Amino acid sequence: MFICFVLVSYVLMRSSKYIQSQFSFFFSNKDRYGLFDNNTSSDVRYALILLSQTVLFSGFCLYDFFSTYDKFLFASVPHVYLLLLFIIVIALFILIKWAVYMFINWIFFYKTKQKLWISSFSSVIIWSGFLLFPIVLLIVYFDLNAQISVILFVIVILIGKILLFYKCFSNFFNKFYGILHLILYFCALEVIPDLILWKSILLANNSLVLNF
């Protein structure tokens, strides 16, 4: 947690203008390339740090959830393995979604639209990390109630989904006749993958219990 705090402070101190520009760009309709295009190597490095931070915090929130609601799992499996499992699963999930977005959007949309969506998706992941930071701090240092932490975590996810829904509409389906396509696209690439992720985590937990 201390290392994450230092890294976030360093990134905010060095690249606050870059982060502000990404925020402004997200809510504009201007065409520009993706998160890692037309930026300096430092900007790319800062973005990767913030993306990694979100992965770590998400993994820790899952760790905290199962530590409360699955006592048998935590009594059976070493905690280090569980924490690593959740972090790796979240990282793989984001990478796979990134690849699926690239493939699907490459088929149906122009290259500019594809890069805009990847940029927007990456920005939402980064902002989710900022929102998760105080939640994880409360969990670690103040033993935040498990039910409250779950509610806050779900709120962060819902905020991210709303932002992605808005960007999906403005980027791909900003015409009235595109509403049906918007719903199909969003459900197929945002709702269903999250359900698959949750089922995969449960299966991985069961596999660890059997192995240990």
Side-chain angles (χ1 to χ4, degrees):
M1 289 302 302
F2 178 74
I3 292 174
C4 287
F5 175 77
V6 171
L7 288 175
V8 171
S9 301
Y10 174 78
V11 171
L12 290 177
M13 180 179 64
R14 292 298 185 93
S15 65
S16 58
K17 292 183 178 180
Y18 165 71
I19 296 174
Q20 291 172 5
S21 67
Q22 288 295 324
F23 186 83
S24 301
F25 166 67
F26 184 90
F27 293 100
S28 69
N29 293 320
K30 298 178 181 179
D31 289 342
R32 199 183 70 179
Y33 287 109
L35 183 70
F36 302 125
D37 293 323
N38 298 331
N39 290 308
T40 66
S41 59
S42 297
D43 291 335
V44 174
R45 184 170 64 251
Y46 298 147
L48 290 175
I49 290 174
L50 294 176
L51 288 169
S52 300
Q53 169 196 264
T54 303
V55 171
L56 290 173
F57 291 159
S58 299
F60 186 84
C61 287
L62 287 174
Y63 175 87
D64 179 68
F65 172 81
F66 283 104
S67 69
T68 303
Y69 293 101
D70 196 341
K71 299 293 187 182
F72 182 73
L73 173 68
F74 266 66
S76 306
V77 183
H79 296 182
V80 174
Y81 291 157
L82 288 175
L83 184 57
L84 287 175
L85 169 68
F86 297 141
I87 292 173
I88 292 172
V89 167
I90 294 295
L92 289 176
F93 176 71
I94 292 176
L95 290 175
I96 292 172
K97 282 193 71 174
W98 208 331
V100 171
Y101 282 142
M102 295 287 288
F103 178 72
I104 297 297
N105 294 339
W106 172 73
I107 295 176
F108 293 104
F109 304 106
Y110 294 113
K111 184 177 181 180
T112 302
K113 294 289 186 181
Q114 173 186 340
K115 288 180 175 293
L116 287 171
W117 176 253
I118 292 298
S119 174
S120 301
F121 174 70
S122 302
S123 296
V124 170
I125 297 296
I126 288 174
W127 300 337
S128 298
F130 285 119
L131 294 178
L132 289 174
F133 199 177
I135 298 175
V136 175
L137 286 175
L138 290 172
I139 292 173
V140 172
Y141 293 107
F142 297 96
D143 195 20
L144 184 65
N145 182 271
Q147 292 182 346
I148 296 176
S149 63
V150 169
I151 292 173
L152 293 176
F153 185 65
V154 171
I155 290 174
V156 172
I157 294 176
L158 290 177
I159 292 174
K161 296 301 181 184
I162 292 171
L163 291 174
L164 289 175
F165 187 85
Y166 158 76
K167 199 60 183 180
C168 185
F169 173 77
S170 63
N171 192 35
F172 298 137
F173 310 102
N174 54 2
K175 305 295 183 182
F176 178 76
Y177 56 78
I179 296 298
L180 179 59
H181 295 158
L182 168 64
I183 295 173
L184 291 175
Y185 180 91
F186 196 80
C187 289
L189 296 182
E190 287 299 328
V191 178
I192 294 178
D194 290 347
L195 298 177
I196 295 175
L197 170 64
W198 181 250
K199 186 64 177 179
S200 300
I201 291 174
L202 295 180
L203 290 175
N205 289 344
N206 292 335
S207 177
L208 284 176
V209 169
L210 292 175
N211 289 330
F212 284 94

